[in-house]
């Protein structure tokens, strides 16, 4: 046995076929009835793959939870079919850290199979080294959400924030000229969101969204908000917000990069993903300007690319009071 060990909840034939796509890994097929723990340190896996196959969402969620009850490992799911958004969220909540189309699926076209194989390789390569691909969280729901946006952002923010308050704090850096941030906060409040301008020393509070002023950068340090002099042309800086949240909370946070011009937020989103946080970039076709989200995707900083409607569906879970139990 050579290379990093990955357990596969699937048959030996699937393990053999998938192994041909990888170098430096050993896929070991296991069953949940096997005594998975304790195991010798040299054969402890760096992650677990679950081939969903014909399993129901409920059965798959139980398997994911069973893995986490034994050891906090990264769990990746291979699906032969596109899952409904509600099913994907249920599996993320159960503890899955990623969902991928099975690169062996006969339903894939040649071009789609190539993309699936490339993503499969990237995800598994991330298991054996620090960086993207290693969030050891028990579910897909964070303790705090950081959002960054620019051109076209206010309308998307309103769509995401409208309705009942979240049960977790939300921090927002929206590029805006000095003097207009207060008006934006009031406009967002008009839709029912509990939004206000951040004040230096603020303690992020569940149920409240704090918006960075238009003339300073907002960061999270020692659990509180600090407002700092701007260091770049894009103000307030999304990169500085995301990086500070990554340092403060790591895998207990989530980062969402919305429409905007330029590249601000991409490196900060990568910092969040390196720290194990769940990261999302808005889809290109739904952006007024795709610069910032595309820069994040180019760095492979985003776990998911979602439309505002999909992001809203994910955030709605936070209104129900679910919070992360990250390791």
């Amino acid at each position: 046995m050579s290379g990093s060990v990955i357990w596969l909840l699937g048959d030996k034939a699937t393990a053999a076929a998938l192994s041909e796509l990888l170098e430096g890994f050993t896929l070991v097929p296991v069953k949940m009835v096997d005594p998975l723990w304790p195991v010798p340190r040299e054969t402890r896996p760096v992650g677990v793959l679950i081939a969903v196959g014909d399993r129901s969402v409920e059965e798959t969620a139980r398997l994911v939870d069973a893995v986490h009850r034994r050891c906090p490992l990264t769990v990746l799911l291979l699906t032969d079919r596109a899952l409904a958004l509600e099913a994907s969220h249920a599996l993320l909540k159960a503890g899955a850290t990623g969902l991928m189309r099975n690169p062996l699926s006969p339903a894939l076209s040649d071009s789609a199979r190539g993309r699936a194989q490339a993503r499969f390789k990237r995800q598994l390569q991330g298991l054996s080294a620090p960086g993207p691909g290693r969030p050891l969280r028990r579910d897909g729901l964070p303790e705090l959400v950081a959002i960054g946006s620019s051109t076209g952002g206010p309308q998307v923010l309103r769509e995401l924030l409208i309705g009942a308050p979240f049960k977790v704090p939300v921090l927002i850096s929206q590029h805006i000229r000095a003097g207009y941030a207060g008006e934006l906060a009031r406009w967002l409040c008009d839709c029912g969101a509990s939004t206000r301008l951040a004040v230096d020393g603020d303690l992020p509070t569940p149920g409240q969204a704090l918006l960075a002023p238009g003339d300073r950068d907002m960061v999270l340090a020692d659990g509180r908000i600090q407002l700092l002099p701007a260091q770049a042309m894009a103000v307030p800086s999304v990169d500085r917000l995301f990086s500070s949240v990554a340092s403060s909370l790591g895998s207990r946070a989530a980062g969402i990069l919305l429409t905007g011009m330029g590249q601000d937020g991409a490196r900060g989103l990568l910092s969040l993903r390196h720290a194990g946080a769940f990261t999302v970039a808005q889809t290109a076709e739904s952006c007024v300007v795709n610069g910032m989200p595309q820069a994040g995707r180019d760095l492979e900083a985003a776990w998911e690319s979602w439309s505002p409607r999909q992001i809203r569906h994910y955030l709605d879970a936070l209104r129900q009071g679910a919070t992360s139990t990250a390791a």
Side-chain angles (χ1 to χ4, degrees):
M1 185 175 295
S2 62
S4 300
V5 174
I6 298 173
W7 277 332
L8 170 72
L9 273 68
D11 56 44
K12 293 182 180 180
T14 301
L18 289 173
S19 294
E20 295 181 1
L21 301 177
L22 298 171
E23 294 181 0
F25 291 90
T26 299
L27 291 181
V28 178
V30 297
K31 297 179 180 178
M32 291 308 296
V33 296
D34 293 340
L36 299 186
W37 275 268
V39 296
R41 181 178 297 275
E42 60 271 16
T43 60
R44 182 174 293 279
V46 295
V48 177
L49 282 174
I50 297 179
V52 176
D54 294 329
R55 293 186 179 97
S56 67
V57 172
E58 293 74 15
E59 181 183 0
T60 304
R62 286 194 294 270
L63 286 176
V64 174
D65 184 67
V67 170
H68 281 298
R69 289 180 184 275
R70 290 170 170 82
C71 189
L73 290 169
T74 298
V75 179
L76 299 174
L77 304 180
L78 294 179
T79 66
D80 292 314
R81 61 192 186 279
L83 296 178
L85 191 58
E86 293 80 3
S88 298
H89 288 160
L91 293 172
L92 288 172
K93 184 175 180 180
T97 51
L99 290 83
M100 298 179 290
R101 291 299 296 271
N102 187 342
L104 304 178
S105 173
L108 294 175
S109 64
D110 290 341
S111 59
R113 184 174 295 107
R115 292 192 297 271
Q117 290 180 1
R119 185 183 182 201
F120 177 74
K121 292 178 181 180
R122 288 197 303 269
Q123 290 278 45
L124 265 65
Q125 288 166 355
L127 296 177
S128 61
R134 296 199 66 186
L136 301 181
R137 64 186 188 278
R138 287 297 308 275
D139 58 47
L141 301 175
E143 293 179 6
L144 180 143
V145 177
I147 302 176
S149 54
S150 186
T151 309
Q155 188 62 47
V156 180
L157 288 171
R158 186 178 174 93
E159 180 179 345
L160 298 182
L161 297 178
I162 190 169
F166 298 107
K167 297 293 180 68
V168 301
V170 177
L171 305 182
I172 303 169
S173 280
Q174 159 70 43
H175 296 167
I176 195 168
R177 285 189 290 176
Y180 288 89
E183 183 177 340
L184 174 60
R186 289 188 292 272
W187 184 67
L188 293 174
C189 270
D190 288 343
C191 72
S194 180
T195 308
R196 67 171 175 82
L197 285 184
V199 176
D200 197 57
D202 262 337
L203 181 67
T205 303
Q208 192 166 70
L210 296 178
L211 182 70
D215 57 351
R216 285 182 290 174
D217 293 339
M218 178 173 66
V219 301
L220 182 67
D222 297 324
R224 291 187 177 274
I225 297 298
Q226 289 186 4
L227 300 179
L228 305 175
Q231 294 182 336
M233 290 183 62
V235 185
S237 169
V238 180
D239 273 329
R240 290 186 82 180
L241 172 63
F242 283 177
S243 296
S244 70
V245 171
S247 298
S248 298
L249 294 177
S251 62
R252 293 177 291 159
I256 300 174
L257 187 57
L258 300 177
T259 174
M261 185 179 298
Q263 299 182 337
D264 185 30
R267 293 191 178 278
L269 198 71
L270 184 62
S271 296
L272 281 166
R273 187 170 180 182
H274 277 180
F278 183 62
T279 54
V280 177
Q282 186 177 339
T283 55
E285 60 273 14
S286 68
C287 288
V288 173
V289 180
N290 185 36
M292 288 163 53
Q294 188 59 52
R297 281 188 290 271
D298 289 343
L299 292 178
E300 297 187 359
W303 267 102
E304 299 288 350
S305 288
W306 283 347
S307 67
R309 182 175 178 273
Q310 291 173 304
I311 297 171
R312 169 63 190 267
H313 191 105
Y314 170 73
L315 293 178
D316 279 345
L318 303 184
R319 294 184 166 90
Q320 301 171 11
T323 55
S324 174
T325 56

